[in-house]
């Protein structure tokens, strides 16, 4: 009886105090909810801007380190919108950082901007059709990410001004991501040292994010150059020392060595200099390697094995070898709190509603590139816990950023599933309504997530705690970049110079044409040639 009285009393106390507490929390929740509605409308109001930015960058189609038009266009736009822009940073003329606002939290938004060799492709047609034959193109969809970030940032900036919210928005580009070339240098230049939260967007065929050790690899990209002596290849071959033979022996050595490597490794090479002509014994020859592995220690091990094999090849051919670090990517570890915030907003926004025409088009592109013909994504997979043993695959130098500031990725649905990757087919949807819808959806998630971090300091603190207490205790990052390693900004210079004059004729003129498809005279969707 007594006990029951006490319980009843306690219940009464709880009941009387609860509404008050809930009232306060409810007010705050309602305020955040109103801000979120407002920022979603802010993105929606910039749908046209998103399309123009996406299509313009698509039409520039610039290779790694040569993103001059793209960077000029984006930074001019940011400046016009009140951002303070620093250009030519971290030893890369095409790198920049744009800042607006003051105080904490400092939220840094990043996305890659470069494209791929020989991926030039007319958008909106379900077959191979180059705009400029042989030219580079956005065969991964890096034309869309800055549109996602900038549209979100402008909507959030408007809200911050109106509501007088404290915080700093930082926008930065992934330069030369296709070479894993830029972010290690941005990290070294200290771009992220004050960042509280890094939100990184990447094109995908669905909505998702990730935390913990990510699937995929880290890597070292290194070019070996062998030096021998030239001689008349028929007249006095015994006077020569053949650098190309050294390259061949190195490749044979590495390929035999593969049998002894863990299945998780990925490694590939291209011969960047194989000599000049057959009757001159090559005095110089170069081969460019990517050594990829799941963790820092195994990357280091394989890199050292590669160096040893290069030395051995030089000894066998009486040549000398030097090496140049071209790029590096750390294995990625993403922040749990940030990923959970992104995921809650992914679920709020949901996948775009695709039209029948878009679905038919996606299936036609899947057919032409030998992928499963199941169309555009209509189901999201939800947030998964990281795998105990991550799966192998590609790399992204956002990994380097993830080890200096709490970072998580937003993958937004702007492309067609089941395509080969790093291929012209991956460019087809990237200046069509499919990309435009995906960019706006991604932008909403970014803007909503920024509102969460701006209004709920406990989330910023939780992200920091995960970073220091979980992530930094889980692994010891190794730095592969030596003090003397500089960004290899000369790469692609000649290729871009060769194609740019012809490509310039096809730059998107948004003042004349509603969309890039209109400018190219493409009726969307075009399923077959001559349709
Ligand atoms: Zn990418």
């Amino acid at each position: 009886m007594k006990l029951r009285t006490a319980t009843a009393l306690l219940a009464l106390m709880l009941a009387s105090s609860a509404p008050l507490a809930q009232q306060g929390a409810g007010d705050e929740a309602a305020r955040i909810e109103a801000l979120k509605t407002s920022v979603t409308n802010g993105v929606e109001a910039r749908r046209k801007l998103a399309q123009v930015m996406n299509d313009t960058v698509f039409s520039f189609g610039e290779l790694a380190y040569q993103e001059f038009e793209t960077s000029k266009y984006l930074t001019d736009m940011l400046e016009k919108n009140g951002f303070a822009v620093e250009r030519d940073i971290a030893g890369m003329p095409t790198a920049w950082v744009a800042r607006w606002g003051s105080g904490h939290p400092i939220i840094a938004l990043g996305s890659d901007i470069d494209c791929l060799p020989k991926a030039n492709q007319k958008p909106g047609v379900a077959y191979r059709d180059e705009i400029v034959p042989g030219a580079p193109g956005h065969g991964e969809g890096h034309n869309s990410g800055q549109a996602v970030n900038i549209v979100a940032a402008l909507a959030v900036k408007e809200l911050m001004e109106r509501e007088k919210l404290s915080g700093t928005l930082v926008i930065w580009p992934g330069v030369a991501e296709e070479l894993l070339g830029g972010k290690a240098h941005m990290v070294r230049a200290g771009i992220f040292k004050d960042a509280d939260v890094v939100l990184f967007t990447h094109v995908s065929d669905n909505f998702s994010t990730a935390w913990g050790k990510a699937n995929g690899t880290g890597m070292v990209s290194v070019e070996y150059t062998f030096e021998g002596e030239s001689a008349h290849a028929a007249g006095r071959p015994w006077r020569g020392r053949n650098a190309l033979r050294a390259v061949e022996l190195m490749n044979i050595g590495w390929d035999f060595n593969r049998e002894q490597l863990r299945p998780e490794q990925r490694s590939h090479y291209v011969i960047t200099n194989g000599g000049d002509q057959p009757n001159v014994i090559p005095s110089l020859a170069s081969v460019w390697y990517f050594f990829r592995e799941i963790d820092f220690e195994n990357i280091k091990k394989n890199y050292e094995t590669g160096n040893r094999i290069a030395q051995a090849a030089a000894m066998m051919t009486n040549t000398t070898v030097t090496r140049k670090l071209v790029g590096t990517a750390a294995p990625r570890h993403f922040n749990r709190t940030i990923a959970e915030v992104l995921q809650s907003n992914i679920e709020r926004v949901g996948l775009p509603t695709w039209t029948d025409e878009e679905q038919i088009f996606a299936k036609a592109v899947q057919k032409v590139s030998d992928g499963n013909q199941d169309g555009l994504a209509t189901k999201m997979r939800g947030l998964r816990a990281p795998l105990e043993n991550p799966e192998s695959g590609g790399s992204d130098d956002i990994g380097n950023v993830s080890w200096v500031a709490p970072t998580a990725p937003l993958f937004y649905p702007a492309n067609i599933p089941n395509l080969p990757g790093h291929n012209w087919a991956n460019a087809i949807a990237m200046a069509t309504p499919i990309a435009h819808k995906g960019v706006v959806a991604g932008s909403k998630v970014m803007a909503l997530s920024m509102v969460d971090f701006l209004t709920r300091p406990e989330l910023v603190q939780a992200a920091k705690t995960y970073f220091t207490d979980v992530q930094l205790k889980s692994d010891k990052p190794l730095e592969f970049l030596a003090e003397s390693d500089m960004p290899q900004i000369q790469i692609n210079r000649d290729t871009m110079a060769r194609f740019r004059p012809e490509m310039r004729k096809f730059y998107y003129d948004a003042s004349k044409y509603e969309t890039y498809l209109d400018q190219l005279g493409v009726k969307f969707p075009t399923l077959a040639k001559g349709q």
Side-chain angles (χ1 to χ4, degrees), residues 219-389:
M219 58 86 77
V220 170
S221 158
V222 54
E223 187 180 44
Y224 298 94
T225 295
F226 295 87
E227 188 170 358
E229 187 60 80
S230 72
H232 193 302
R236 289 196 173 80
W238 49 87
R239 296 282 293 274
R241 288 180 287 120
N242 193 325
L244 177 60
R245 291 283 180 254
V247 165
E248 290 176 296
L249 285 167
M250 166 159 199
N251 294 347
I252 290 166
W254 181 260
D255 287 337
F256 273 97
N257 172 62
R258 283 179 198 273
E259 195 181 1
Q260 270 63 58
L261 297 179
R262 293 168 11 113
E264 289 84 354
Q265 76 88 27
R266 298 283 186 278
S267 51
H268 357 268
Y269 55 80
V270 293
I271 296 174
T272 46
N273 178 10
D276 300 303
Q277 58 185 60
N279 62 349
V280 180
I281 287 177
S283 59
L284 277 178
S286 302
V287 60
W288 183 7
Y289 271 77
F290 277 21
F291 299 112
R292 307 194 205 233
E293 249 287 3
I294 293 284
D295 55 45
F296 289 104
E297 285 303 329
N298 279 300
I299 297 167
K300 181 167 182 273
K301 189 171 152 222
N302 291 1
Y303 179 31
E304 287 171 353
T305 303
N307 292 343
R308 205 164 57 241
I309 290 174
Q311 279 298 341
M315 285 169 75
M316 282 190 278
T317 50
N318 198 21
T319 57
T320 56
V321 63
T322 52
R323 64 169 188 268
K324 187 168 69 186
L325 195 97
V326 182
T328 170
R332 290 155 279 184
H333 190 125
F334 292 127
N335 191 276
R336 183 169 187 167
T337 306
I338 302 178
E340 284 170 352
V341 168
L342 286 167
Q343 183 63 33
S344 69
N345 291 311
I346 285 172
E347 277 154 25
R348 180 188 176 109
V349 172
L351 285 166
T353 307
W354 310 113
T355 63
D356 290 347
E357 283 191 329
E358 287 157 2
Q359 285 289 13
I360 289 164
F361 179 70
K363 286 175 189 168
V365 176
Q366 286 165 338
K367 187 175 178 192
V368 79
S369 62
D370 287 332
N372 281 347
Q373 293 163 50
D374 47 18
L376 296 162
T378 53
K379 261 197 208 88
M380 303 193 289
R381 61 166 208 207
L383 187 59
R384 296 183 206 157
L387 297 174
E388 178 76 25
N389 298 305

Side-chain angles (χ1 to χ4, degrees), residues 379-402:
K379 261 197 208 88
M380 303 193 289
R381 61 166 208 207
L383 187 59
R384 296 183 206 157
L387 297 174
E388 178 76 25
N389 298 305
E391 287 168 7
S392 188
S395 320
D396 189 318
D397 53 3
I398 189 61
N400 298 53
V401 180
S402 77

